Amino acid sequence: MIIQKTSNSRIGDFDPNNIGFGAAFIDHMIICEYENGKWGDVKLMPYGPLPFTPAMMGVNYGQACFEGMKAYKDKDGEVYLFRPEKNFERINKSAKRLAMPEITEEMFIDGLKALVDVDRAWIPYGEGKSLYLRPLIFATEEALKARISNKYMFAIVATPVQSYYTEPVSVKISDYYSRAASGGVGNAKAAGNYAAAFYPTKLANEEGYEQIIWTDDATHEYFEESGTMNVFVRINDTIYTPPTSDKILDGVTRDSFIQLAKKRGIDIKVEPIEVAKVVEAHKNGELKEVWGVGTAVVTTAFKALGYKDEKLVLPILSDEESFAISLKKNLVDIQTNQSEDPFGWRVKVEKHILETV
Amino acid sequence: MIIQKTSNSRIGDFDPNNIGFGAAFIDHMIICEYENGKWGDVKLMPYGPLPFTPAMMGVNYGQACFEGMKAYKDKDGEVYLFRPEKNFERINKSAKRLAMPEITEEMFIDGLKALVDVDRAWIPYGEGKSLYLRPLIFATEEALKARISNKYMFAIVATPVQSYYTEPVSVKISDYYSRAASGGVGNAKAAGNYAAAFYPTKLANEEGYEQIIWTDDATHEYFEESGTMNVFVRINDTIYTPPTSDKILDGVTRDSFIQLAKKRGIDIKVEPIEVAKVVEAHKNGELKEVWGVGTAVVTTAFKALGYKDEKLVLPILSDEESFAISLKKNLVDIQTNQSEDPFGWRVKVEKHILETV
Ligand SMILES: Cc1ncc(COP(=O)(O)O)c(C=O)c1O
Ligand SMILES: Cc1ncc(COP(=O)(O)O)c(C=O)c1O
């Protein structure tokens, strides 16, 4: 690894008690360039602009994918990543689907560790606080033909964050717009999937909904995801979540929730969720909870589901009664080293890693 | 318009008799930045890199759309754009669907004219030769939250080109992968649509097909587009092309072909094309031609359609017999000022435009 530390740390301007989401960047970033069929050296360098022209294929053809993950600080100042190997596997799955070169585990894991270690002072400690890490790969060749690029950049940038959702929100079950095509790229963290969701989400916001429960594009009869999260439904005491497919992202939080629920002996079924079944359960008073899960906020609980002209209002459960909240607590406790780690999910970031990479 | 001409023209290195597609950029580019809710001044400046970080929202979330159009030089050295108002309307349709700010006609049309005029020496003259123009809009704000960006760049970059397809090619009718979701962004020139097509196209290439005829993602029973072109099918003496929808791009070449065919009195039907109907017509010897149309190559004729385990070989027609070839000739003659322009499609680029914008 090529190390080029900043001589102008900006950390003096950073207030860990006043954090937005994704606005302030830590002092350094990781970059690595792909050319002539291979990746070059990984470089740790000051965060900042690099020279790209508007002909860069990444912005012209959307050949770009990313990951979202976090580093957590415990009360002793130790720092942990959470299941980073899952994100490593997924970025390569995304890269493959977008015809981009895969990266090595060393680039990804050592890059993360080096960056987190060198900027560990930027990681805030406290409830809901963490360092959000963004590994990404994008096409950098300058060319105006819609074809696979020959040049790429792998980068990791990061920003201190604080969970921003608090209260349960209302969401809209989509009956027109959709996020993914079958045979498409919904199961890749492809850049283009996100922009495609902005306009429908804006329309839903204007109707008073925080996010959209995406349904299958062919019939709109089945739940897929919610916003940029995987979705869970609780009917009586059984939890349901749709199986992953080429339209549904294989979320790390989703997988962790499934494992945690199983460990607690909660009945959890990974099977397609029909909108009609949810509506029916609501009518019968059996629909207890619906929530989304993802790295950014862990859990967002829903208080109402908009469906066509109806509004399905969900019951208000106490934190103890709620599976969403108690599973979230189980997960956060593991992530932040406040409990045992029976699954071996935490990965400690050792100090002075730069001396060894 | 702010004008900043290069003092280092690269045109001496440019060989108009040896042109690739999209590799050499003309001396200048247009840029315009959006911030605080409005577009700033349009600037004509030397083509080259600008400072962007890997946190740029355009590459992270694919909030980016583009246009593809051409400037043609006639034998007297006069230069013409082709129906630029169609591209202007379409880029704003794309921008809207991706929750990006729309641009003004002045930014788009005057930007194009100024760029084409200042670099008119870069426009090659001769069969299949032109200047390919790439207007694009992409999100430039640095932030790691998946939300609508607050900053954008509009740019126009350009490269001299020469049509690269010549012989009819074999194409594969997709029975698994798809390009667009219903309720998705297939009818926008969204950056992400292109990357999503690369991997399926690579697999098709490995099976010996040049491109993919995209079918609807729900059933794969209907034609949508071919590669990055709109698709036409001729059965006996009737031409069919699918109606535009939220999954099919409203191509300028498609529209021009429809109008030209009508003018010539050819029977043309804009209606859904069932794969089964094409297969049946082939069996009966009634399938005469299938071809794709788009700005880049105008027409690509197909010699065979791969469908599941079958290969539907198409008859070889003379240029006179072929609707694809004769309509292409009608269109190219208009574009390059070799014929009358009954539709008023050509837009002449006046000289010394910079003095008036
Ligand atoms: C579309 C989508 N679904 C689900 C998720 C949740 O995945 P994870 O739990 O790995 O963060 C994400 C990312 O946060 C996402 O972008
Ligand atoms: C997906 C797609 N379909 C069709 C076309 C053809 O459109 P046009 O004739 O406007 O170039 C294009 C662009 O070339 C395209 O990208």
Side-chain angles (χ1 to χ4, degrees), chain B residues 6 11 17 89 125 132 184 193 240 317 337 340:
Chain B
T6 185
I11 197 156
N17 295 314
E89 283 162 23
Y125 166 69
Y132 181 81
N193 291 344
Y240 298 85
L317 304 186
N337 193 23
E340 288 303 299

Side-chain angles (χ1 to χ4, degrees), chain A residues 141-330:
Chain A
E141 188 180 349
E142 294 167 49
L144 300 183
K145 196 180 160 190
R147 60 151 172 82
I148 296 170
S149 172
N150 291 311
K151 295 183 191 172
Y152 299 88
M153 179 173 285
F154 165 64
I156 310 176
V157 292
T159 174
V161 292
Q162 174 155 7
S163 288
Y164 47 95
Y165 283 135
T166 44
E167 292 300 305
V169 300
S170 296
V171 296
K172 180 188 166 120
I173 299 175
S174 187
D175 57 4
Y176 175 69
Y177 287 107
S178 46
R179 199 190 79 86
S182 77
V185 296
N187 66 339
K189 265 183 102 76
N193 291 344
Y194 296 82
F198 291 167
Y199 179 71
T201 302
K202 189 174 85 167
L203 295 181
N205 293 162
E206 287 164 9
E207 291 179 59
Y209 298 106
E210 189 81 20
Q211 49 180 258
I212 290 177
I213 294 189
W214 301 104
T215 49
D216 67 294
D217 77 310
T219 68
H220 297 290
E221 285 174 11
Y222 290 91
F223 277 29
E224 289 187 341
E225 304 201 38
S226 182
T228 58
M229 306 195 293
N230 291 110
V231 67
F232 286 75
V233 171
R234 172 180 170 189
I235 296 176
N236 291 326
D237 283 339
T238 302
I239 298 177
Y240 298 85
T241 193
T244 55
S245 70
D246 63 356
K247 304 204 283 174
I248 297 183
L249 197 80
D250 184 4
V252 179
T253 318
R254 172 187 177 279
D255 182 74
S256 306
F257 263 62
I258 293 171
Q259 292 195 49
L260 284 166
K262 284 188 180 156
K263 185 148 190 299
R264 279 177 47 185
I266 298 172
D267 187 29
I268 179 157
K269 296 206 161 88
V270 177
E271 60 179 50
I273 301 175
E274 236 180 310
V275 178
K277 177 177 171 156
V278 174
V279 173
E280 179 70 17
H282 179 261
K283 204 172 288 167
N284 300 338
E286 297 174 344
L287 184 66
K288 302 296 183 210
E289 299 183 75
V290 184
W291 71 95
V293 308
T295 295
V297 292
V298 187
T299 291
T300 300
F302 304 149
K303 65 178 181 202
L305 314 180
Y307 181 57
K308 296 187 171 161
D309 291 332
E310 290 180 77
K311 194 154 185 169
L312 316 185
V313 177
L314 288 157
I316 297 169
L317 303 186
S318 70
D319 285 5
E320 292 70 39
E321 289 169 320
S322 164
F323 286 168
I325 301 301
S326 63
L327 287 167
K328 173 180 179 171
K329 185 170 167 16
N330 297 154

